[in-house]
Amino acid sequence: MPIALRRVHDSDLPVFFRQMNDPESLVMAAFTPKDPADRDAFDAHWRRVRASSDVPRTILADGDVVGSAAVYGPPGEREVTYWVDRAYWGRGIATQALSALLAEVPERPLFARAAADNAGSLRVLEKCGFRPTARAVGFANARGRDTEEIVLRLES
């Protein structure tokens, strides 16, 4: 399945909003907005992201919008994030999309975080060269409780 990244278009936002409101995906991601169903907050977030020095991208699979990926944050502390529609999990899309994003954004180090029990996301990050460096505990909005997370780092 051909995967491509492109700049985020206005027409992608309703798709992202729908994807980010899938209950199973929210629990897996754990660290989500306090109220993912708040469309005004979602739109305000994407306005900030698109106006910043962040690098947001839309993930396309066979030309369809299947998720998003981004590099964000201040230099020296920049992190990667990605979201793939649950209907496309397990097909290597996240790994291909993150690899393409890392090729587009050569700065290092880059960081990532994932819930410690999110084996799929940890596998994607490690396939792309990220290595665990720390463990932390934070409040996971989607789970309503403190959740352990793994902090990972990519050097080169």
Side-chain angles (χ1 to χ4, degrees), residues 106-111 128-131 133 152-156:
E107 70 185 83
R108 304 290 184 265
L110 291 174
F111 298 89
C128 290
F130 285 83
R131 297 294 170 247
T133 60
L152 302 98
R153 180 181 176 120
L154 177 67
E155 290 294 333
S156 57

Side-chain angles (χ1 to χ4, degrees), residues 6-79:
R6 67 158 163 73
R7 292 187 180 274
V8 174
H9 297 169
D10 291 343
S11 61
D12 300 335
L13 299 179
V15 178
F16 295 169
F17 186 73
R18 179 189 52 76
Q19 292 169 344
M20 292 191 68
N21 277 281
D22 172 63
E24 189 174 331
S25 298
L26 287 166
V27 170
M28 184 61 67
F31 301 97
T32 61
K34 189 170 188 169
D35 180 5
D38 182 339
R39 184 58 194 247
D40 291 337
F42 173 89
D43 289 339
H45 165 78
W46 277 99
R47 276 192 301 277
R48 283 190 307 275
V49 166
R50 293 171 78 189
S52 73
S53 62
D54 295 347
V55 183
R57 296 292 181 257
T58 296
I59 302 170
L60 302 170
D62 286 333
D64 294 327
V65 175
V66 299
S68 62
V71 173
Y72 68 96
E77 298 176 22
R78 290 174 63 83
E79 291 190 36

